Amino acid sequence: MSAANQKTIITVLGKDSVGIIAKVCTYLANNHINILDISQTIVQDYFNMMMIVDMKDSAKPFADCATELAQIGEEIGVKIRCQKEEIFDMMHRI
C-alpha cells in the first residue's frame, strides 16, 4: 500500500465539551496513528474538527479504528467519522 493510501480523514462534529480533543488524540497516540494536519473550530457551542492522519504504523486495521473512534464519539456525545483519503477526495470533487 502506498503512503497516500495510508492517509485517513477523521472528522468530529457535535456540541462542544471538555476533553474531545484529548480523547481522540489519546486514542490515536495509543494506536500509533500520526496526526499530519489538524483544524478545529467552535461556532456557537458546536465543535468541528478535521484531522488528516497517517495510519502506516497503526496497531489496528482501518475498520477497527473507525469503529472504535465512532464508539468513543458516542460516549462523549459527538459524531466521529473516518474515511480513507482517496474516498474522501472522490466524494468531494467538484
Side-chain angles (χ1 to χ4, degrees):
M1 191 179 267
S2 73
N5 292 338
Q6 299 291 324
K7 289 184 183 172
T8 297
I9 309 299
I10 299 174
T11 56
V12 182
L13 180 64
K15 282 289 230 179
D16 188 34
S17 64
V18 173
I20 296 172
I21 296 171
K23 286 267 193 190
V24 174
C25 290
T26 297
Y27 176 86
L28 297 177
N30 288 342
N31 287 284
H32 311 287
I33 299 169
N34 187 37
I35 299 168
L36 302 174
D37 201 355
I38 183 171
S39 170
Q40 68 103 93
T41 57
I42 299 169
V43 178
Q44 292 188 3
D45 295 330
Y46 286 94
F47 177 88
N48 183 31
M49 180 168 65
M50 180 175 167
M51 308 170 95
I52 300 172
V53 301
D54 183 353
M55 296 191 65
K56 154 179 83 181
D57 297 324
S58 176
K60 298 178 182 176
F62 171 84
D64 291 352
C65 291
T67 299
E68 291 172 4
L69 281 165
Q71 289 170 344
I72 289 169
E74 287 178 24
E75 292 168 11
I76 61 175
V78 297
K79 177 82 171 164
I80 302 178
R81 189 163 179 216
C82 299
Q83 289 182 292
K84 292 187 177 184
E85 183 183 46
E86 62 269 18
I87 303 296
F88 184 87
D89 288 345
M90 291 174 85
M91 289 177 54
H92 294 90
R93 276 198 187 138
I94 296 176

